[in-house]
Amino acid sequence: MSLDNPRKHMKISSLARSSIRRFESYAGRALAASLAFLFLVTLFGVSASAADAQTRPRSNRVVPVDSIPDVEFPTVFALDPVVVTATREARSLFTVPQPVARIDANTLRSAGANNVADLFREIQGLDVVGVGPSQVRPSIRGQRGQRILLLSNGLRLQNARRQQDFGEIPALTDVSAVERVEVVRGPSSVLYGSDAIGGVINVITRRPDEDGTHGNLAYRYGSAGANNKGVLNMWTRTGAFDFKVGGTYRNASPYDAPSGKFGNIVLLDDATVNDTGVTDWAIDLYAGWTITERNRLYGKFERYDSEDTGFGFVDPRLYAPDQPDIRISYPEQSFNKLTLGYEVAELNFFLADRVDVLAYGQQNDRGLVFDFLTSFSLGPSMEASIGINDQNYTEIETYGTRIEAKKLSFDNLLWTYGIDYFQDRAVGTDVETTTMTGFGPAPIVSTDSTPSLPEATLGSMGLFLQGDYQVGEHGSLIAGARYQRASSKTYTTPGLEDQELYDLTDDTFVGALNAIWNASRSVAVVGTIGRGFRWPNLVERYFEGSTPEGTGDQIANPTLMPEKSLNYDLGVRYRGRGLSFEVFGFRNNITDAIKIDSVGLSGGPRPRPIYQNVNVAEFLYTGIEASFEAFLSPEFSFGANYTWIDGENKTDVDLPVGEGANKKANFNVNWLDSAGRWWAGYHFRHQAEQQDAFLGTSPVGLVLPGFSVHNVRGGFRFFAGQFENRVDIGLNNLSNALYAEAANATFFRPEPGRSVTLTLSTAF
């Protein structure tokens, strides 16, 4: 399909629109009927289930969620990793009735990843936003920020104080503590509630999984920004108790982007991408007690601290002297989280075979400094400038709980149901200093300490129910529904005493229907229909201050309505000896979509645009995701994936959504010697040119250029007594190309030039 004018391919006639609406109505009825069917089947079988609960063997389908260890397989032909996030049940990747991806700890370690999102560039449907070792955030199918739900061990990490495009950073969970990362591409609001419009990312950390005392020690060096990191983890399990302690420390300087041309931008020499370094450290403590074979109690404490990082920018004087100088830095961030959990398995109770109770509290304190400087002429020989320095410090407290139960009926119908709740509370201070020169004999300096956001809370409670009906060996049908109620409230705040107070409540009902049908032992057909939703966060409703990129001023909009989406997926998977592939097509329609829009100009000698978050009619995202992997021998494999995503603003077809048409291809070749001691790999990624990317006044130009990236990785391991030692090496951006990821091009933030990563580790 030509992308010269992608919008013309997305136009839908009124007849087609009517057909789609009828189909969506029928889909909703089918979902309700499916839930009713599963519920009636369960009611019919409850008495029988209770009667033989003492004698019937327990099904192995009911297993602890978020605690499945990585599985080692004897040959490369048997790989069938386990995932739990999509259904809250342990399933092999091949049998999950949704598009999912999984990254294990070994892959993260071999790639020398700074962040669990670093490898998203290499997976179909996934991308990243942001730059630097700590500020990279995920993007799924063109959705990012608050439309992506970030979880740690099944619990929310993000909070309601983030800007819409700035989701929470996965760096809050250090990569060295990660067992695996699971990604659900597409809405998952039935199981996880608000913010899961684009997808869910679940970062699952390691638990002590074998008797005795074990640990690992590692050092990582990256030449991009002289990145140094040390890691220490130890864990032990003895009798009924298990413990783990881990810690990391990292110091990285801002990296350099290479000279070259990217669109209209030309860098004659290597240039520093400022604020892409970081000094950070993390600790995590875990303790578990297996009270009986059926009861387990555990607790976990995590802390992450960072300093001297930021949004990233190249000095505009190097490539566009007429552009304003904008800097967004994060001088400090502190994150603390305490989690308590209780698991009860193999209950002899007619309503539940297993119950999981989780409670958590977290505090995220962070500072932000925004600097804006623009110079202009007032006439012949009359130069003037306006500088803005805005300092914000915010404390966000969150507490919540999740109670989840599972019940198996007839050995082929598994119910998952429960309740979850969270509340965010944000308190902040602001000091804005404006300095104007050229308007008199001396600079004009003014200071304003009016808070940009009143003290506010956002709380949400949800009830969810999901039925998983196993159709023999042929597949399964999963239907689910959720009722959610949310409220946001503002409080009297110093500096905003005259501001109106708000106490707003919203509620919604969503559902999903997922199915997988095994046409044969090697072929499975997957289809999904699901609704997602997202509440307006505190920033979208109540924030008043400078926009994130400093291009204007933002005003509040308490009347915002929640976003809603309706998503369809249809795909096929194949798994045979030495070959596997999958292809998915999707359509995600977001209505009442929240988008920041210009609503006028400010007064003063240098008027600035005024922006406000508003509900637009709808955004439409469609796309295709394909991947395959082939094993030519137990030692040699190769694979590839392809992504095509197109976004359209159905309200205004002349104004692209912002991501535009996206075509991405990845190719990799890997070799592992038969003893598993040596390995090597080559990875190639090509991002196609984007014709309708919303770049505005970016110096990149009206077209986002295409680019290609080459990476080579390798390593070896050796044993010394009881110690397993590894050396992993990566050579990144071999061609030393100047490029920026799609979401980082408008505010030009290029990636590092040619660089090396070296990781030394030992485990016992």
Side-chain angles (χ1 to χ4, degrees):
M1 179 181 293
S2 170
L3 293 181
D4 293 338
N5 184 5
R7 290 189 293 273
K8 70 182 181 181
H9 301 291
M10 305 304 298
K11 295 189 181 300
I12 303 174
S13 67
S14 59
L15 178 60
R17 288 178 185 271
S18 177
S19 300
I20 290 174
R21 291 192 182 98
R22 286 198 300 271
F23 177 67
E24 292 175 352
S25 175
Y26 296 152
R29 295 174 187 175
L31 170 61
S34 300
L35 279 171
F37 168 73
L38 294 178
F39 186 66
L40 288 173
V41 169
T42 295
L43 286 179
F44 180 76
V46 159
S47 57
S49 177
D52 67 358
Q54 301 291 338
T55 59
R56 189 184 63 220
R58 293 290 169 183
S59 168
N60 59 9
R61 291 187 61 196
V62 183
V63 297
V65 296
D66 299 335
S67 60
I68 310 300
D70 276 340
V71 181
E72 298 293 336
F73 295 91
T75 72
V76 294
F77 301 110
L79 289 175
D80 196 7
V82 170
V83 294
V84 300
T85 305
T87 62
R88 299 298 294 176
E89 172 196 8
R91 281 178 174 262
S92 70
L93 200 63
F94 183 76
T95 64
V96 175
Q98 281 181 274
V100 292
R102 183 184 190 271
I103 305 173
D104 60 31
N106 184 64
T107 303
L108 290 166
R109 177 175 52 189
S110 299
N114 269 305
N115 185 303
V116 299
D118 275 352
L119 295 183
F120 285 6
R121 301 170 176 90
E122 303 178 12
I123 300 175
Q124 66 274 21
L126 307 183
D127 279 298
V128 298
V129 181
V131 292
S134 67
Q135 292 298 314
V136 172
R137 297 166 168 86
S139 171
I140 303 177
R141 293 179 168 180
Q143 306 302 316
R144 61 187 188 185
Q146 296 295 324
R147 292 188 185 133
I148 302 296
L149 181 58
L150 181 63
L151 306 173
S152 176
N153 299 309
L155 297 175
R156 298 172 63 92
L157 270 181
Q158 64 203 68
N159 59 70
R161 178 58 178 85
R162 288 286 189 185
Q163 293 279 353
Q164 182 191 90
D165 288 344
F166 297 173
E168 193 54 86
I169 54 173
L172 294 180
T173 301
D174 189 79
V175 70
S176 67
V178 173
E179 184 73 35
R180 66 187 186 277
V181 182
E182 297 180 1
V183 183
V184 181
R185 306 193 303 271
S188 295
S189 288
V190 166
L191 289 175
Y192 299 105
S194 179
D195 303 347
I197 280 183
V200 171
I201 297 167
N202 193 8
V203 181
I204 300 171
T205 57
R206 180 184 299 138
R207 282 186 180 181
D209 55 5
E210 54 185 321
D211 291 335
T213 299
H214 305 274
N216 70 283
L217 179 68
Y219 167 74
R220 180 193 184 278
Y221 170 77
S223 64
N227 188 329
N228 293 274
K229 180 179 181 179
V231 177
L232 174 63
N233 289 292
M234 294 190 66
W235 58 93
T236 184
R237 189 170 73 178
T238 174
F241 299 95
D242 49 285
F243 306 93
K244 179 183 179 296
V245 58
T248 68
Y249 176 82
R250 174 172 55 189
N251 180 265
S253 302
Y255 64 74
D256 287 345
S259 59
K261 186 177 187 300
F262 187 73
N264 295 336
I265 291 180
V266 177
L267 295 181
L268 299 178
D269 298 297
D270 292 357
T272 299
V273 184
N274 299 283
D275 296 328
T276 54
V278 70
T279 298
D280 61 358
W281 59 272
I283 60 171
D284 67 278
L285 306 172
Y286 173 89
W289 177 27
T290 303
I291 304 170
T292 69
E293 292 183 355
R294 299 181 180 183
N295 297 267
R296 178 176 173 78
L297 181 68
Y298 62 91
K300 184 173 184 179
F301 173 76
E302 303 163 81
R303 180 177 176 92
Y304 173 78
D305 271 75
S306 70
E307 297 178 353
D308 302 328
T309 189
F311 198 70
F313 75 101
V314 175
D315 189 338
R317 290 173 294 184
L318 298 177
Y319 61 88
D322 59 331
Q323 292 288 310
D325 192 348
I326 301 172
R327 179 182 182 184
I328 304 173
S329 58
Y330 311 118
E332 59 180 324
Q333 177 169 217
S334 175
F335 175 79
N336 297 278
K337 183 172 186 177
L338 177 64
T339 304
L340 298 175
Y342 180 61
E343 302 170 354
V344 186
E346 298 189 23
L347 288 170
N348 295 323
F349 184 49
F350 77 99
L351 288 179
D353 294 323
R354 176 182 177 85
V355 176
D356 291 87
V357 181
L358 288 167
Y360 68 99
Q362 61 189 39
Q363 182 168 341
N364 195 335
D365 301 342
R366 55 178 180 257
L368 180 148
V369 177
F370 167 76
D371 289 294
F372 175 90
L373 177 64
T374 183
S375 300
F376 49 92
S377 175
L378 294 176
S381 302
M382 295 181 63
E383 296 295 322
S385 67
I386 297 178
I388 300 174
N389 175 265
D390 191 351
Q391 301 184 29
N392 169 266
Y393 183 82
T394 303
E395 299 177 1
I396 308 104
E397 294 181 350
T398 302
Y399 60 87
T401 186
R402 182 181 178 98
I403 303 174
E404 179 177 295
K406 293 180 180 294
K407 176 61 188 177
L408 184 67
S409 301
F410 300 130
D411 284 333
N412 63 350
L413 176 56
L414 178 65
W415 287 102
T416 301
Y417 62 95
I419 182 172
D420 51 31
Y421 173 80
F422 73 88
Q423 178 167 287
D424 294 331
R425 186 181 190 95
V427 180
T429 59
D430 293 85
V431 178
E432 181 178 284
T433 302
T434 302
T435 303
M436 298 188 294
T437 62
F439 297 94
I444 303 172
V445 180
S446 61
T447 301
D448 184 2
S449 58
T450 303
S452 59
L453 187 74
E455 182 178 346
T457 59
L458 174 64
S460 184
M461 184 276 292
L463 301 169
F464 59 92
L465 170 68
Q466 175 181 275
D468 181 349
Y469 182 65
Q470 205 75 24
V471 189
E473 297 182 356
H474 298 290
S476 61
L477 174 70
I478 300 179
R482 169 182 283 262
Y483 170 77
Q484 193 87 11
R485 185 177 180 85
S487 61
S488 64
K489 186 176 182 179
T490 62
Y491 300 85
T492 302
T493 305
L496 298 174
E497 290 87 353
D498 296 332
Q499 190 176 85
E500 182 180 355
L501 298 181
Y502 295 94
D503 189 354
L504 306 174
T505 300
D506 304 291
D507 60 359
T508 190
F509 176 87
V510 295
L513 178 63
N514 305 328
I516 184 168
W517 181 260
N518 299 319
S520 70
R521 293 180 62 88
S522 300
V523 179
V525 179
V526 178
T528 75
I529 304 172
R531 283 201 172 275
F533 66 94
R534 184 180 76 85
W535 307 123
N537 64 21
L538 298 177
V539 172
E540 290 167 326
R541 271 187 165 158
Y542 307 121
F543 180 91
E544 294 199 348
S546 294
T547 58
E549 291 82 10
T551 56
D553 298 313
Q554 180 176 328
I555 61 175
N557 186 0
T559 64
L560 281 174
M561 297 181 294
E563 293 183 328
K564 298 176 286 292
S565 74
L566 181 60
N567 182 82
Y568 308 95
D569 279 284
L570 182 62
V572 60
R573 293 192 183 108
Y574 173 82
R575 177 185 61 180
R577 183 172 176 83
L579 176 66
S580 64
F581 68 82
E582 71 173 30
V583 179
F584 275 91
F586 70 88
R587 180 184 187 272
N588 193 4
N589 195 48
I590 303 176
T591 54
D592 293 324
I594 298 174
K595 189 177 189 301
I596 194 164
D597 198 10
S598 177
V599 294
L601 291 173
S602 65
R606 187 73 171 175
R608 282 159 54 89
I610 298 176
Y611 294 93
Q612 185 181 48
N613 283 293
V614 296
N615 290 105
V616 299
E618 62 181 311
F619 292 162
L620 177 64
Y621 293 85
T622 56
I624 297 172
E625 303 160 340
S627 67
F628 86 93
E629 187 172 20
F631 295 92
L632 302 183
S633 70
E635 294 84 19
F636 183 73
S637 67
F638 68 94
N641 62 63
Y642 173 78
T643 303
W644 176 83
I645 300 174
D646 197 17
E648 183 180 6
N649 184 342
K650 302 294 289 183
T651 310
D652 186 352
V653 296
D654 294 323
L655 182 63
V657 170
E659 301 301 325
N662 174 31
K663 292 191 294 185
K664 179 182 77 170
N666 284 280
F667 177 79
N668 62 80
V669 181
N670 296 288
W671 171 80
L672 174 69
D673 81 309
S674 57
R677 295 181 179 270
W678 295 85
W679 70 275
Y682 164 74
H683 173 257
F684 168 78
R685 175 167 65 105
H686 177 71
Q687 189 85 33
E689 177 182 275
Q690 292 185 223
Q691 296 286 347
D692 64 343
F694 181 49
L695 299 181
T697 59
S698 169
V700 172
L702 297 178
V703 175
L704 181 62
F707 58 85
S708 299
V709 183
H710 305 261
N711 302 309
V712 175
R713 298 163 184 157
F716 62 93
R717 66 174 182 167
F718 60 95
F719 294 87
Q722 296 182 343
F723 294 88
E724 177 188 350
N725 305 285
R726 285 179 58 114
V727 178
D728 295 289
I729 303 172
L731 303 176
N732 307 307
N733 193 4
L734 291 179
S735 61
N736 206 33
L738 174 65
Y739 73 98
E741 303 292 351
N744 301 330
T746 304
F747 189 92
F748 184 56
R749 297 176 288 167
E751 296 294 313
R754 185 184 298 116
S755 61
V756 177
T757 61
L758 171 65
T759 305
L760 309 175
S761 61
T762 183
F764 60 91

